[in-house]
Amino acid sequence: EHINRLGSYAKILAKGLMRNPKYSNFINRRYIDDLFASAPLHDIGKVGIDDAILKKKGPLDESEQLQMKKHVELGYQTIHAIKEQFPQATFLEMGLAIIKSHHEKFDGTGYPDGLKGEEIPLSARIVALADYYDALVSERVYKKAFSHQDAFKEIVSLKGTHFDPEIVDVFIEYHQEFKKLNP
């Protein structure tokens, strides 16, 4: 369910950004279709992470966090190999950008490359917010689900640090559509 919602959240954000003149010539129907198709690939590298880490009920220790971060490179390598076989699949190119950069933060404190601001591919900036929102409103083995309102407040509080301010503005405008998709 998470990957289905993620694509829908990303699509809402992209359609909202398309109204911004800065993105109106960049975000088009194909971009949105590719984003919807590639967003679910963001965490594909987690198939290479030990289940004991993925299903741990408490916080991860430093060693486990380092292992978890490896999902970015594992996912990138996996999709890159597939992209080599199917170069015409444009959504895979976007998928590579999302996989590699969806844990970057707008202020440069994310991983794996410490990218900042618009150095982070737009698709990854969109998916980062969509993924974070869904993680907040979903119950996980290690936490209870946030209410939509609490998730909303959390994301707004991270505007300009964790998330691109323009994408947060679109989220603010369309947050009720996110709420309708909640688990």
Side-chain angles (χ1 to χ4, degrees):
E1 293 301 314
H2 168 65
I3 61 175
N4 292 330
R5 287 189 305 270
L6 188 63
S8 296
Y9 294 141
K11 196 176 208 180
I12 292 166
L13 293 171
K15 285 182 175 179
L17 284 171
M18 194 164 61
R19 295 182 29 229
N20 180 332
K22 178 178 176 179
Y23 301 110
S24 62
N25 291 328
F26 180 68
I27 299 176
N28 54 32
R29 177 73 182 184
R30 176 151 193 163
Y31 183 93
I32 292 170
D33 289 347
D34 283 352
L35 182 65
F36 183 77
S38 61
L41 299 173
H42 74 292
D43 276 342
I44 196 165
K46 285 186 178 177
V47 299
I49 304 300
D50 189 326
D51 277 351
I53 293 173
L54 293 174
K55 295 179 180 181
K56 185 174 178 180
K57 292 186 180 190
L60 301 179
D61 65 30
E62 189 176 328
S63 171
E64 292 165 332
Q65 287 177 17
L66 290 173
Q67 287 297 312
M68 182 65 86
K69 287 181 178 183
K70 289 181 181 181
H71 83 277
V72 171
E73 188 57 36
L74 292 170
Y76 186 87
Q77 290 171 0
T78 300
I79 298 304
H80 188 269
I82 295 168
K83 175 78 173 122
E84 294 286 310
Q85 297 296 313
F86 302 97
Q88 72 283 5
T90 57
F91 80 97
L92 292 177
E93 191 65 39
M94 184 180 285
L96 289 170
I98 290 168
I99 291 164
K100 184 77 168 175
S101 300
H102 75 282
H103 286 292
E104 300 288 357
K105 294 181 182 177
F106 200 73
D107 64 3
T109 62
Y111 71 91
D113 299 317
L115 299 178
K116 183 176 184 176
E118 293 187 5
E119 294 173 348
I120 306 165
L122 178 61
S123 58
R125 286 182 274 147
I126 291 169
V127 170
L129 190 149
D131 186 39
Y132 196 86
Y133 174 81
D134 197 66
L136 289 174
V137 299
S138 300
E139 186 169 329
R140 303 286 171 91
V141 295
Y142 54 86
K143 70 162 201 68
K144 297 215 180 277
F146 280 41
S147 69
H148 169 76
Q149 192 59 32
D150 287 342
F152 176 87
K153 288 177 188 173
E154 173 79 6
I155 287 172
V156 171
S157 77
L158 297 171
K159 180 180 178 178
T161 55
H162 194 128
F163 302 115
D164 181 330
E166 292 174 326
I167 296 173
V168 174
D169 288 343
V170 171
F171 171 74
I172 291 167
E173 185 176 352
Y174 292 97
H175 75 94
Q176 290 300 327
E177 290 188 41
F178 276 63
K179 184 177 182 179
K180 290 176 191 173
L181 296 171
N182 274 356

